Amino acid sequence: MSAPSPGRPSYAAVLRVPYARRTFFAALVGRLSYGTVSIAVMLSVTRATGSYAVAGTVMALFGAMTVLLSPLRAAFVDRYGPRRALIPMALAYAGLLTALAAVSWRPGAPALLLGALAVGAGAFPPPLGPTMRAVWSGLLDDQRLLQRAYGLDGVTEELLFVSGPLIVGALLRWAPPAAGVALSALLVAAGTVAFVSSPVVAGARPDAAKPERSAKRLRGARGLMQPVLVAAGVGVAVGALDLLVMAFAGQRRYGDDVVAWVLAALSVGSAVGGLLNGAVDWRTSARVRLPLLACGLGLTLAVAGLAPGLGVLTVTVACAGLFIAPALTTSYLIADESAPPGFRTQAGAWVNTAVNAGGSAGSAAVGVLVAHLPLGVCFAASGAVTLTAGAASLWGARGVATSAAAADRGVSAGA
């Protein structure tokens, strides 16, 4: 399923690989559902029950199921192949979202039923992102092209999560919020079917390689510790920033629209950083770059707490964004390199899980800190967590290199 490098490595060259555009765009249609579904579910449940508390509880249950079961869903893809695993997940997910949309279409829906449907839907989102990255890895032989593919994938995913709420907002002019939930169901079903219909995905089979030696399996698990740790630290930073920017605007009596603009600057910075990172032919290894990116994000986040006004905060937040997409892209690359046969989709899913879990933890922790500490201290504390994750991952990377060398010597001696 691999293809040779088609000339000079560039983003355009990635999309010129046979079937790359068809497969990638189909995956993006399905993944757009993840950009629309959260705000659509929150608004539809709020409208149906008239309670923000119920909406918050339903969203927490939905998010918890989505995050906690992500590695398990990815394991099914690795074990049974994309077509056999993704289609049932997508249909179950779309069906439950459709039921949720129908129940919440008009006010007065039972809260327990809404919660049950949300929990059920959260168990089945197909892991299109990790599967697409696994497809990139099998499709591209050139490591430089793979780096650009991951960069392009990361930036477009960022844009999907920015554009998703805008699409739902536009839809609300003509339809109730539940229509956004129905749209999310349609997107994931259509995108997944188109994705698995691509020849490079339809022909994929579960990895039938013989089990690796225990030393190699252990090395793969250790290799995942660094990208998962950094991804969690990045998640903490992003989750914390959402609330910190809101608190900053509230303390200085700015309007709510200011928060949207500052967070948009974060997304723009992340997109620019991701494109630049993917376009550079790095001479240093990914395991060396990753801790530096995490530390850069942590330090910039801490500095943002010193901003005297909105302009400086916006610029600083945009600078923080420059590290986000590169850190996540590099995490995915390392996870893919570390994954033993039959574990590639799961490796990417663990990075996804770490980001989401870190984001939830960051939001929860900052929500408590803001009520008791000065805002500058909250910025510094959030940055310190990400900085610590980066520093700890640097130590972990040295351990992986040492264990890899020892394992290789052991395998050679036993051959």
Side-chain angles (χ1 to χ4, degrees):
M1 200 165 77
S2 62
S5 172
R8 182 178 179 274
S10 66
Y11 292 112
V14 169
L15 295 177
R16 285 197 298 267
V17 172
Y19 303 114
R21 278 179 294 184
R22 170 181 172 177
T23 308
F24 184 46
F25 291 153
L28 290 181
V29 171
R31 291 158 75 179
L32 179 57
S33 169
Y34 304 141
T36 60
V37 69
S38 294
I39 187 170
V41 170
M42 181 179 65
L43 292 174
S44 62
V45 173
T46 301
R47 183 175 184 269
T49 63
S51 171
Y52 289 107
V54 171
T57 301
V58 169
M59 286 305 302
L61 293 172
F62 177 75
M65 291 297 290
T66 300
V67 172
L68 294 176
L69 295 183
S70 176
L72 179 60
R73 294 191 296 270
F76 278 109
V77 176
D78 282 330
R79 181 169 182 177
Y80 297 107
R83 172 170 284 187
R84 292 177 62 191
L86 292 178
I87 289 294
M89 290 183 204
L91 294 180
Y93 181 58
L96 287 164
L97 285 182
T98 302
L100 180 60
V103 171
S104 61
W105 197 271
R106 297 183 183 279
L112 286 178
L113 179 57
L114 293 172
L117 289 172
V119 169
F124 292 105
L128 294 174
T131 306
M132 184 65 231
R133 283 183 282 270
V135 169
W136 281 128
S137 184
L139 193 61
L140 302 171
D141 286 334
D142 191 323
Q143 188 67 21
R144 297 174 300 169
L145 273 183
L146 183 60
Q147 175 184 310
R148 283 154 179 78
Y150 274 35
L152 181 64
D153 191 282
V155 169
T156 52
E157 187 171 61
E158 179 86 26
L159 296 177
L160 292 181
F161 281 95
V162 172
S163 60
L166 298 178
I167 293 173
V168 173
L171 184 63
L172 292 181
R173 296 182 179 181
W174 299 281
V181 181
L183 174 64
S184 302
L186 177 63
L187 287 171
V188 76
T192 303
V193 170
F195 176 67
V196 300
S197 300
S198 170
V200 294
V201 180
R205 296 291 182 269
D207 198 317
K210 294 181 179 180
E212 295 183 288
R213 293 175 182 262
S214 59
K216 289 187 177 180
R217 291 200 302 270
L218 179 60
R219 183 173 59 185
R222 287 177 176 173
L224 280 175
M225 291 176 63
Q226 187 194 30
V228 167
L229 182 60
V230 168
V234 172
V236 168
V238 174
L241 258 176
D242 289 346
L243 280 178
L244 289 172
V245 171
M246 290 179 63
F248 185 94
Q251 287 186 6
R252 288 161 175 77
R253 301 183 184 280
Y254 293 116
D256 292 339
D257 57 327
V258 164
V259 177
W261 283 107
V262 176
L263 295 180
L266 179 71
S267 297
V268 170
S270 179
V272 171
L275 290 173
L276 292 175
N277 177 72
V280 173
D281 290 326
W282 296 102
R283 296 186 178 182
T284 55
S285 71
R287 288 195 180 276
V288 172
R289 298 197 309 272
L290 185 58
L292 299 179
L293 291 168
C295 291
L297 174 59
L299 288 172
T300 310
L301 180 57
V303 170
L306 303 176
L310 181 63
V312 176
L313 178 70
T314 303
V315 172
T316 310
V317 166
C319 290
L322 292 173
F323 296 98
I324 293 175
L328 294 179
T329 298
T330 307
S331 295
Y332 286 124
L333 280 171
I334 295 174
D336 182 77
E337 293 172 357
S338 305
F343 195 74
R344 179 166 286 166
T345 309
Q346 296 171 71
W350 275 110
V351 175
N352 263 1
T353 299
V355 175
N356 293 328
S360 298
S363 297
V366 166
V368 175
L369 292 179
V370 165
H372 299 89
L373 296 174
L375 195 56
V377 175
C378 296
F379 271 98
S382 304
V385 173
T386 306
L387 184 63
T388 301
S393 73
L394 180 60
W395 174 82
R398 293 174 180 173
V400 169
T402 302
S403 63
D408 288 340
R409 288 195 299 269
V411 171
S412 299

